[in-house]
Amino acid sequence: MARSVAAKKSVKPAKSSYVLDEQVGFILRQVWQRHSSIFSRDIGTNLTPTQWAALSKLAETGPCSQNQLGRLTAMDVATIKGVIDRLTARGLTETSQDPEDGRRLLVSLTRAGQQLAEKVAPSALAITRETLAPLDAREREMLMALLNKLR
C-alpha cells in the first residue's frame, strides 16, 4: 500500500538546461501568432498572409512564373500553387504563356488584383507598425536587421 502512494506522488523534474520560454523558435512562433492575429483582424479583406504575400510581390515585381513567385515569397511549390489557384478563382490573378518560353506560365495580377493590392497596402503597413509597436524606432531597426541576418 505504501508503494502505491509513493508511486502516485509527483516527481519534481530535474533542473533542465532546456527552457522552452527561452528558445528562439518558441518566441518566434508566439510573435508570429500575435502578428497573424493582428493581420486577420485588420487586413480589411478576406486574404490570408500567404495570399497577401503573393499579391503584394506581384504588385512589386510584375508578372513572373509561379515557381519564381514561390521563391520570392518563401513558399514551396504546392503552397504557391494553391495560393495562386485561390487568387485566380477570385479573379485577382491570371496566368498566360511566357512569350520567351512557351513551356512556362506567367502569373500576373488582374486589374481587380492590382486595385486590391493598392487598397490593402496601407492596412498591411499599419499591421506591421502595430506588430512592432512595443519597440522604439532604434529597436525596430535593430530587430529587422537581426531578422534579415537570420534568413
Side-chain angles (χ1 to χ4, degrees):
M1 181 123 180
R3 192 187 224 179
S4 66
V5 170
K8 289 183 180 179
K9 279 188 172 180
S10 61
V11 177
K12 186 176 179 184
K15 178 107 169 114
S16 173
S17 61
Y18 187 92
V19 177
L20 182 62
D21 290 336
E22 297 172 358
Q23 304 310 309
V24 66
F26 184 66
I27 294 167
L28 287 172
R29 184 167 61 83
Q30 289 177 313
V31 171
W32 171 250
Q33 288 171 330
R34 180 174 165 270
H35 175 74
S36 293
S37 175
I38 295 166
F39 182 92
S40 295
R41 183 192 72 206
D42 294 350
I43 195 61
T45 188
N46 188 24
L47 286 174
T48 66
T50 53
Q51 290 170 345
W52 171 243
L55 280 178
S56 65
K57 188 51 81 172
L58 285 169
E60 180 185 332
T61 65
C64 65
S65 74
Q66 191 168 283
N67 284 341
Q68 177 67 10
L69 184 59
R71 287 190 297 276
L72 292 172
T73 57
M75 291 183 228
D76 62 44
V77 172
T79 301
I80 193 63
K81 181 183 180 340
V83 167
I84 295 304
D85 287 349
R86 285 184 288 285
L87 291 173
T88 299
R90 291 177 61 182
L92 300 173
T93 58
E94 60 190 1
T95 58
S96 59
Q97 244 182 333
D98 184 341
E100 295 177 19
D101 183 347
R103 299 167 295 170
R104 183 172 39 192
L105 289 179
L106 295 178
V107 179
S108 58
L109 293 177
T110 62
R111 182 181 306 258
Q114 182 66 43
Q115 290 171 341
L116 183 62
E118 290 169 8
K119 177 184 169 193
V120 171
S123 296
L125 288 168
I127 290 163
T128 295
R129 281 192 302 275
E130 184 172 342
T131 298
L132 297 174
L135 306 175
D136 64 33
R138 192 180 125 275
E139 290 169 329
R140 286 190 298 272
E141 188 177 307
M142 184 183 300
L143 175 65
M144 293 306 293
L146 291 171
L147 288 172
N148 277 309
K149 195 171 186 179
L150 290 175
R151 277 190 210 206

